[in-house]
Amino acid sequence: MKKNVYSYSSCILETLPLRVQQSSFSSTFPGKRLGQAAWSSEGFGSHWVRSVSVDLNNDASLVIDIPDALCERDKVKFTVHTKTTLSSFQKPEFSVPRQHEEFIWLHDTIVETEEYAGLIIPPAPPKPDFEGPREKMHKLGEGESSMTKEEYAKMKQELEAEYLAVFKKTVQVHEVFLQRLSSHPIFRKDRNFQIFLEYDQDLSVRRKNAKEMFGGFFKNMVKSADEVLISGVKEVDEFFEQEKTFLLDYSSKIKDASAKAEKMTRSHKNVADDYNHISGALNSTAADNNTAFKKHLEKYAEVFEKLRKLEDRVASDQELKLTELLRYYTRDIQAAKDLLYRRARALADNENSNKALDKARLKGKDIAQAEENQKQCLQKFDKLSESGKKELTSFKARRVVAFRKNLIEMTELEIKHAKVRRLKCCVYHYMFTRQCSGSHGKPGNMREF
Amino acid sequence: SNDAENTAAHHRNTLQFNTYSHRKQLFSVCVTLSEATEEVSLDSPERQPILSDGPSPVITPVTPVMISSRADVFDRSPDQDEDEEENRDTFDIQISVSDPEKVGDGMNAYMVYKVLTKTSLSIFSRDEVCVKRRFSDFLGLHSKLASKYMHMGYIVPPAPEKSIVGMTKVKVGKEDLSSVEFVEKRRSALERYLLRTVKHPALLKDPDVLQFLESSELPRAVSTQALSGAGILRMVNKAADAVNKMTIKMNESDAWFEEKQQQFENLDVQLRKLHASVESLVCHRKELSVNTASFAKSAAMLGNSEDHTALSRALSQLAEVEEKIDQLHQDQACADFYLISELLGDYVRLITAVKGVFDQRMKTWAKCQDAQVMLQRKREAEAKLQHANKPDKLQQAKDEIREWEGKVQQGERDFEQISKNIRREVGRFEKDRVKDFRVVIIKYLESLVHTQQQMIKYWEAFLPEAKAIA
């Protein structure tokens, strides 16, 4: 009976280790958490560490994490777990299930809140993207008949690993979003944020209807007009002038670096895939052979399998430390730019209100209204400038710390992997050369290594 | 052009992972052969210098020798063959193909290679001989050897493939990286071809081989212009196929042959698949190199844009590290290709030669069968003539019977001989196969160790830079 690919897809998701458990590290050491957590070592790489942001859970008064997530078909349900000493919450500890759309709702309401115009709004987490594993699963379903049992089991294993990798990434990015909010003195008090954390029913977040989508589109158009605006506006403040120049240039550079890093990581994965195929082909060749060659082939297959595992690990670590870092900060830079846009708009409004006041005075009409308007615009602008300055300064500090941490970790991992790979190759090398050297074996060959 | 040449030289040098070998070797693989023989006649009188284009008479070994060869890599300890006796009567030969030089201009241009032979074997006139040969000379050698030995069941190593596209670029004078790589690929293939050829005990002593390696002047192999090694094999195989289609399926009395033939059929399929996977690896590794270089540039730009001084410096350093790593990837792609991919390519072609040899046996059997059928007919004809009164024709019939009895006997002897030869050749092939693969894997592991060593060095140098970000 031909297996339906889609029925298979649902059952593979169910057999996946869907409840990815995090160790209860966070609950035992809340203060020392420093935004790090290790996945429980159910063989899922306990060396993996949440890394994009640092020091986000320093404050024990409100500690948020996503200890596990459930994947059903296309939907991911994150368990948002909160521990708090704040009296504004009903309970000291609680968990709620949330879907990606609800995170977006929270982000959008914060963006739309006028009071927060002077703050850098933490970028919304990207939608969970299971496209890669889904494609692979499709291939698995199609090629099932033409594969041996071992090949099939191996591919299934890889598929599960890939699902898990995407899983980890998406949990990380959703978690960091919440932690940015909770660690910010103003956002943590946001009413909607509280509802998001606490309300144990479905938030019933409607999908955007056509009008709202159009509104969003219009907003984007206005934004690009904003870009022209901020570059056109005469900036009096030296700080903002510098920030503007910097952010405009940096945002395009980091976007490019992020894309290039992605391509590089993809190539590593391709190489790992090739090692996989080579190993499989060597095993098939060995299976058909009954001479002395067979044992050799099996050993070589083993070598390539080990090479594959190591290459995979290099690829995934590079992705987490480098590519994800660059991706995250591309989004964060955009959020900083948005702040500049809002301030530039406020500046323009301010100037317009000045002009309107002058006009009113000239005409001798509606002066009081114009004065009020001008006062408000100025206030708004000043407030934006003040908080904007603070935000941008702390943003730079945060960025530098995150880059430092990730670059150090990435380098240490690269060194570790290279050492492991070198060692394994040496061991195999020794094994193979010993096979053929009799009493004349030159041990000096290994001295180099 | 200097750039391209430097890259080629760099590629060649990166293959020399014999950091612990102190002997100056000329370019990549030099294999030292040591053989132990029970008995072999080196004094065969038939060794005459031949100046014509045709093949020289074959030297048949006086006794069927049990040859086992040990391959010595980078002057390391000789491999020890399990079946071998303690008596190691060693003689060795080293061959290198180097210094490709373009001769002539335009479409008549061709590449000339230096072939250097170093040996202590007495069948050679000198210890060290250096000659210049062009590609068609190699093809010519192969065609001679194939025509002499294949029908006897010897596995004659196939010559490298012709490549119209590759050669045209070289002829036209494009000195870009791809034509330099092409020349290097060919040079390496020619070297491996010669080494495989002399590794064969019978071929080593063949006068055509000796002439090829020693003679300063070699008559131009005109007849090979249209044929490559593979071309010849194709011809041979086509003939064999035709034979198979015509005759009855051979009554295989020997299960060994049936089994082996099946094994080689399977191996052919497997190796091709394996080769394809390795070619994919080479391709992706090159891609990785390109993408790493691209990221390095991007990181450098990011570093320039970064306004935090320490972070900016670190990003620039990161860019430099990635550039160096790009070079490592290129080196590794080189090793992937020249070590593993080319080995598999060689073996795919070798398997074709092996299959050809089995087909030759079938052809021999068919010939034997035909002779028997003929003999039967002649006997029947003679029986008929017994009762007719034609003494002349009867005598003729008796003569013909004797003739065909002789042919049948010869056919049976030939079949026996080719079967014996094939068994021996396959045994030798299987032993060599194990060694060849092991040698390559060992070298490949060395290349990996080398790469990882460099990587550790680069990243360890970068780590303090990353930590210095304040």
Short mmCIF file of all heavy atoms in Angstrom, two decimals, chain A residues 150-188:
data_model
loop_
_atom_site.label_atom_id
_atom_site.label_comp_id
_atom_site.label_asym_id
_atom_site.label_seq_id
_atom_site.Cartn_x
_atom_site.Cartn_y
_atom_site.Cartn_z
N GLU A 150 18.92 0.39 5.73
CA GLU A 150 19.92 1.19 6.44
C GLU A 150 19.90 2.62 5.95
O GLU A 150 19.93 3.56 6.74
CB GLU A 150 21.33 0.61 6.25
CG GLU A 150 21.57 -0.71 6.94
CD GLU A 150 21.09 -1.87 6.09
OE1 GLU A 150 20.96 -1.68 4.86
OE2 GLU A 150 20.85 -2.95 6.64
N GLU A 151 19.87 2.77 4.62
CA GLU A 151 19.85 4.13 4.05
C GLU A 151 18.65 4.90 4.56
O GLU A 151 18.73 6.07 4.91
CB GLU A 151 19.79 4.07 2.52
CG GLU A 151 21.12 3.78 1.86
CD GLU A 151 20.98 3.67 0.34
OE1 GLU A 151 19.85 3.53 -0.15
OE2 GLU A 151 22.02 3.69 -0.33
N TYR A 152 17.52 4.21 4.57
CA TYR A 152 16.27 4.85 4.99
C TYR A 152 16.36 5.30 6.44
O TYR A 152 16.01 6.43 6.78
CB TYR A 152 15.12 3.88 4.78
CG TYR A 152 13.77 4.47 5.06
CD1 TYR A 152 13.19 5.36 4.16
CD2 TYR A 152 13.07 4.17 6.22
CE1 TYR A 152 11.96 5.92 4.41
CE2 TYR A 152 11.83 4.73 6.47
CZ TYR A 152 11.28 5.60 5.56
OH TYR A 152 10.06 6.16 5.81
N ALA A 153 16.83 4.38 7.29
CA ALA A 153 16.95 4.71 8.71
C ALA A 153 17.90 5.88 8.91
O ALA A 153 17.64 6.78 9.71
CB ALA A 153 17.43 3.49 9.49
N LYS A 154 18.97 5.88 8.13
CA LYS A 154 19.96 6.95 8.25
C LYS A 154 19.35 8.29 7.85
O LYS A 154 19.51 9.30 8.52
CB LYS A 154 21.15 6.63 7.34
CG LYS A 154 22.45 7.25 7.78
CD LYS A 154 23.58 6.62 6.97
CE LYS A 154 24.86 7.39 7.17
NZ LYS A 154 25.70 7.39 5.99
N MET A 155 18.63 8.26 6.72
CA MET A 155 18.04 9.51 6.24
C MET A 155 17.01 10.02 7.22
O MET A 155 16.89 11.23 7.44
CB MET A 155 17.37 9.28 4.87
CG MET A 155 17.99 10.13 3.78
SD MET A 155 17.04 10.15 2.28
CE MET A 155 16.56 11.86 2.18
N LYS A 156 16.28 9.11 7.82
CA LYS A 156 15.26 9.51 8.79
C LYS A 156 15.93 10.19 9.98
O LYS A 156 15.47 11.21 10.48
CB LYS A 156 14.47 8.27 9.23
CG LYS A 156 13.33 8.57 10.18
CD LYS A 156 12.20 7.53 10.07
CE LYS A 156 11.26 7.66 11.25
NZ LYS A 156 11.40 6.60 12.23
N GLN A 157 17.04 9.61 10.39
CA GLN A 157 17.80 10.18 11.50
C GLN A 157 18.26 11.60 11.19
O GLN A 157 18.15 12.51 12.01
CB GLN A 157 19.03 9.30 11.75
CG GLN A 157 19.46 9.23 13.18
CD GLN A 157 20.66 8.32 13.31
OE1 GLN A 157 21.62 8.43 12.54
NE2 GLN A 157 20.61 7.41 14.25
N GLU A 158 18.77 11.75 9.95
CA GLU A 158 19.23 13.09 9.56
C GLU A 158 18.08 14.07 9.54
O GLU A 158 18.22 15.23 9.90
CB GLU A 158 19.81 13.05 8.15
CG GLU A 158 21.17 12.45 8.06
CD GLU A 158 21.45 12.00 6.64
OE1 GLU A 158 20.98 12.68 5.70
OE2 GLU A 158 22.09 10.96 6.49
N LEU A 159 16.95 13.58 9.05
CA LEU A 159 15.77 14.44 8.97
C LEU A 159 15.38 14.92 10.35
O LEU A 159 15.09 16.10 10.56
CB LEU A 159 14.63 13.64 8.33
CG LEU A 159 13.30 14.37 8.15
CD1 LEU A 159 13.51 15.57 7.26
CD2 LEU A 159 12.28 13.44 7.55
N GLU A 160 15.41 14.01 11.31
CA GLU A 160 15.05 14.39 12.67
C GLU A 160 16.04 15.42 13.21
O GLU A 160 15.66 16.38 13.87
CB GLU A 160 15.03 13.15 13.57
CG GLU A 160 13.83 12.27 13.28
CD GLU A 160 13.89 10.95 14.03
OE1 GLU A 160 14.83 10.74 14.80
OE2 GLU A 160 12.97 10.15 13.81
N ALA A 161 17.31 15.22 12.89
CA ALA A 161 18.33 16.18 13.34
C ALA A 161 18.08 17.56 12.74
O ALA A 161 18.23 18.58 13.41
CB ALA A 161 19.71 15.68 12.97
N GLU A 162 17.67 17.55 11.48
CA GLU A 162 17.43 18.84 10.83
C GLU A 162 16.22 19.54 11.44
O GLU A 162 16.24 20.76 11.65
CB GLU A 162 17.21 18.64 9.33
CG GLU A 162 18.00 19.61 8.50
CD GLU A 162 17.82 19.41 7.01
OE1 GLU A 162 18.44 18.46 6.49
OE2 GLU A 162 17.07 20.19 6.40
N TYR A 163 15.19 18.79 11.68
CA TYR A 163 14.01 19.35 12.33
C TYR A 163 14.40 19.97 13.65
O TYR A 163 13.99 21.07 14.01
CB TYR A 163 12.96 18.26 12.58
CG TYR A 163 11.79 18.31 11.63
CD1 TYR A 163 11.70 17.44 10.57
CD2 TYR A 163 10.79 19.25 11.81
CE1 TYR A 163 10.63 17.50 9.69
CE2 TYR A 163 9.71 19.32 10.92
CZ TYR A 163 9.64 18.43 9.86
OH TYR A 163 8.60 18.50 8.99
N LEU A 164 15.20 19.22 14.38
CA LEU A 164 15.62 19.68 15.69
C LEU A 164 16.40 20.98 15.59
O LEU A 164 16.22 21.88 16.40
CB LEU A 164 16.48 18.60 16.35
CG LEU A 164 16.79 18.85 17.82
CD1 LEU A 164 15.50 18.81 18.62
CD2 LEU A 164 17.75 17.81 18.34
N ALA A 165 17.27 21.07 14.58
CA ALA A 165 18.08 22.28 14.42
C ALA A 165 17.19 23.50 14.16
O ALA A 165 17.40 24.56 14.76
CB ALA A 165 19.07 22.09 13.29
N VAL A 166 16.23 23.34 13.28
CA VAL A 166 15.32 24.45 12.99
C VAL A 166 14.53 24.82 14.24
O VAL A 166 14.32 25.99 14.55
CB VAL A 166 14.35 24.08 11.84
CG1 VAL A 166 13.32 25.17 11.65
CG2 VAL A 166 15.11 23.83 10.56
N PHE A 167 14.12 23.79 14.94
CA PHE A 167 13.42 23.94 16.19
C PHE A 167 14.17 24.82 17.18
O PHE A 167 13.65 25.80 17.70
CB PHE A 167 13.32 22.54 16.79
CG PHE A 167 11.98 22.21 17.32
CD1 PHE A 167 10.87 22.35 16.53
CD2 PHE A 167 11.83 21.76 18.61
CE1 PHE A 167 9.63 22.03 16.99
CE2 PHE A 167 10.58 21.44 19.09
CZ PHE A 167 9.48 21.57 18.28
N LYS A 168 15.41 24.43 17.40
CA LYS A 168 16.25 25.16 18.35
C LYS A 168 16.36 26.62 17.97
O LYS A 168 16.24 27.51 18.80
CB LYS A 168 17.66 24.57 18.36
CG LYS A 168 17.83 23.31 19.16
CD LYS A 168 19.30 22.98 19.18
CE LYS A 168 19.55 21.56 19.59
NZ LYS A 168 20.97 21.20 19.36
N LYS A 169 16.58 26.84 16.68
CA LYS A 169 16.75 28.23 16.21
C LYS A 169 15.51 29.05 16.49
O LYS A 169 15.61 30.19 16.97
CB LYS A 169 17.02 28.22 14.69
CG LYS A 169 18.47 28.36 14.33
CD LYS A 169 18.67 28.70 12.88
CE LYS A 169 18.15 27.62 11.96
NZ LYS A 169 18.39 27.96 10.54
N THR A 170 14.35 28.47 16.18
CA THR A 170 13.14 29.25 16.30
C THR A 170 12.78 29.49 17.77
O THR A 170 12.31 30.56 18.14
CB THR A 170 11.98 28.63 15.49
OG1 THR A 170 10.95 29.59 15.37
CG2 THR A 170 11.44 27.38 16.11
N VAL A 171 13.05 28.50 18.61
CA VAL A 171 12.80 28.70 20.03
C VAL A 171 13.70 29.80 20.56
O VAL A 171 13.27 30.70 21.29
CB VAL A 171 13.02 27.38 20.82
CG1 VAL A 171 13.07 27.65 22.31
CG2 VAL A 171 11.91 26.39 20.51
N GLN A 172 14.96 29.73 20.15
CA GLN A 172 15.92 30.74 20.61
C GLN A 172 15.45 32.14 20.28
O GLN A 172 15.44 33.04 21.12
CB GLN A 172 17.28 30.48 19.95
CG GLN A 172 18.29 31.59 20.23
CD GLN A 172 19.49 31.52 19.32
OE1 GLN A 172 19.38 31.62 18.11
NE2 GLN A 172 20.66 31.37 19.89
N VAL A 173 15.03 32.31 19.06
CA VAL A 173 14.72 33.65 18.57
C VAL A 173 13.43 34.18 19.22
O VAL A 173 13.31 35.39 19.50
CB VAL A 173 14.69 33.59 17.03
CG1 VAL A 173 13.32 33.75 16.46
CG2 VAL A 173 15.68 34.53 16.44
N HIS A 174 12.50 33.28 19.51
CA HIS A 174 11.28 33.72 20.19
C HIS A 174 11.57 34.04 21.64
O HIS A 174 11.00 34.98 22.22
CB HIS A 174 10.19 32.64 20.08
CG HIS A 174 9.55 32.60 18.73
ND1 HIS A 174 10.13 32.03 17.63
CD2 HIS A 174 8.35 33.09 18.30
CE1 HIS A 174 9.33 32.16 16.58
NE2 HIS A 174 8.25 32.82 16.95
N GLU A 175 12.44 33.24 22.22
CA GLU A 175 12.77 33.45 23.63
C GLU A 175 13.48 34.79 23.82
O GLU A 175 13.16 35.57 24.73
CB GLU A 175 13.67 32.32 24.11
CG GLU A 175 13.79 32.27 25.62
CD GLU A 175 14.77 31.20 26.03
OE1 GLU A 175 15.97 31.36 25.78
OE2 GLU A 175 14.30 30.20 26.61
N VAL A 176 14.44 35.06 22.94
CA VAL A 176 15.21 36.30 23.05
C VAL A 176 14.29 37.52 22.92
O VAL A 176 14.47 38.51 23.63
CB VAL A 176 16.33 36.33 21.98
CG1 VAL A 176 16.82 37.74 21.77
CG2 VAL A 176 17.46 35.44 22.38
N PHE A 177 13.32 37.43 22.06
CA PHE A 177 12.37 38.54 21.88
C PHE A 177 11.70 38.86 23.21
O PHE A 177 11.65 40.02 23.64
CB PHE A 177 11.34 38.16 20.82
CG PHE A 177 10.18 39.11 20.74
CD1 PHE A 177 10.35 40.39 20.27
CD2 PHE A 177 8.91 38.72 21.14
CE1 PHE A 177 9.27 41.29 20.19
CE2 PHE A 177 7.83 39.60 21.07
CZ PHE A 177 8.02 40.89 20.59
N LEU A 178 11.22 37.83 23.89
CA LEU A 178 10.54 38.07 25.16
C LEU A 178 11.51 38.58 26.21
O LEU A 178 11.18 39.45 27.02
CB LEU A 178 9.87 36.78 25.64
CG LEU A 178 8.74 36.25 24.76
CD1 LEU A 178 8.22 34.93 25.32
CD2 LEU A 178 7.61 37.25 24.66
N GLN A 179 12.73 38.03 26.19
CA GLN A 179 13.70 38.43 27.20
C GLN A 179 14.16 39.88 27.00
O GLN A 179 14.46 40.58 27.96
CB GLN A 179 14.90 37.48 27.17
CG GLN A 179 14.54 36.12 27.73
CD GLN A 179 15.64 35.10 27.54
OE1 GLN A 179 16.55 35.30 26.74
NE2 GLN A 179 15.54 34.00 28.26
N ARG A 180 14.19 40.33 25.74
CA ARG A 180 14.50 41.75 25.50
C ARG A 180 13.44 42.64 26.14
O ARG A 180 13.75 43.68 26.73
CB ARG A 180 14.53 42.03 23.98
CG ARG A 180 15.78 41.60 23.26
CD ARG A 180 16.92 42.56 23.44
NE ARG A 180 16.66 43.88 22.88
CZ ARG A 180 16.83 44.22 21.61
NH1 ARG A 180 17.25 43.33 20.74
NH2 ARG A 180 16.58 45.45 21.21
N LEU A 181 12.21 42.20 26.02
CA LEU A 181 11.12 42.99 26.60
C LEU A 181 11.19 42.97 28.12
O LEU A 181 11.07 44.00 28.79
CB LEU A 181 9.76 42.45 26.14
CG LEU A 181 9.44 42.59 24.65
CD1 LEU A 181 8.16 41.85 24.30
CD2 LEU A 181 9.31 44.06 24.26
N SER A 182 11.44 41.78 28.68
CA SER A 182 11.40 41.66 30.13
C SER A 182 12.57 42.38 30.79
O SER A 182 12.47 42.80 31.94
CB SER A 182 11.40 40.19 30.55
OG SER A 182 12.65 39.61 30.24
N SER A 183 13.67 42.51 30.06
CA SER A 183 14.84 43.15 30.67
C SER A 183 14.86 44.65 30.45
O SER A 183 15.74 45.34 30.93
CB SER A 183 16.12 42.51 30.14
OG SER A 183 16.17 42.67 28.74
N HIS A 184 13.88 45.16 29.74
CA HIS A 184 13.84 46.60 29.48
C HIS A 184 12.91 47.27 30.50
O HIS A 184 11.78 46.82 30.69
CB HIS A 184 13.31 46.84 28.07
CG HIS A 184 13.50 48.25 27.58
ND1 HIS A 184 12.73 49.29 28.03
CD2 HIS A 184 14.39 48.77 26.71
CE1 HIS A 184 13.12 50.41 27.43
NE2 HIS A 184 14.13 50.12 26.63
N PRO A 185 13.39 48.33 31.17
CA PRO A 185 12.61 48.93 32.27
C PRO A 185 11.22 49.40 31.87
O PRO A 185 10.30 49.38 32.68
CB PRO A 185 13.48 50.11 32.71
CG PRO A 185 14.44 50.34 31.59
CD PRO A 185 14.64 49.03 30.92
N ILE A 186 11.06 49.82 30.62
CA ILE A 186 9.75 50.33 30.20
C ILE A 186 8.88 49.22 29.62
O ILE A 186 7.71 49.08 29.98
CB ILE A 186 9.92 51.49 29.20
CG1 ILE A 186 10.64 52.65 29.88
CG2 ILE A 186 8.57 51.92 28.65
CD1 ILE A 186 11.02 53.78 28.98
N PHE A 187 9.45 48.40 28.76
CA PHE A 187 8.64 47.37 28.10
C PHE A 187 8.09 46.36 29.08
O PHE A 187 6.99 45.83 28.88
CB PHE A 187 9.46 46.64 27.02
CG PHE A 187 9.72 47.46 25.80
CD1 PHE A 187 10.99 47.50 25.25
CD2 PHE A 187 8.71 48.18 25.19
CE1 PHE A 187 11.26 48.24 24.12
CE2 PHE A 187 8.96 48.94 24.05
CZ PHE A 187 10.24 48.97 23.52
N ARG A 188 8.86 46.08 30.14
CA ARG A 188 8.43 45.02 31.02
C ARG A 188 7.13 45.39 31.72
O ARG A 188 6.43 44.51 32.22
CB ARG A 188 9.51 44.69 32.04
CG ARG A 188 9.65 45.74 33.14
CD ARG A 188 10.95 45.79 33.86
NE ARG A 188 11.58 44.52 34.06
CZ ARG A 188 11.89 44.01 35.25
NH1 ARG A 188 11.54 44.64 36.35
NH2 ARG A 188 12.54 42.87 35.34
#
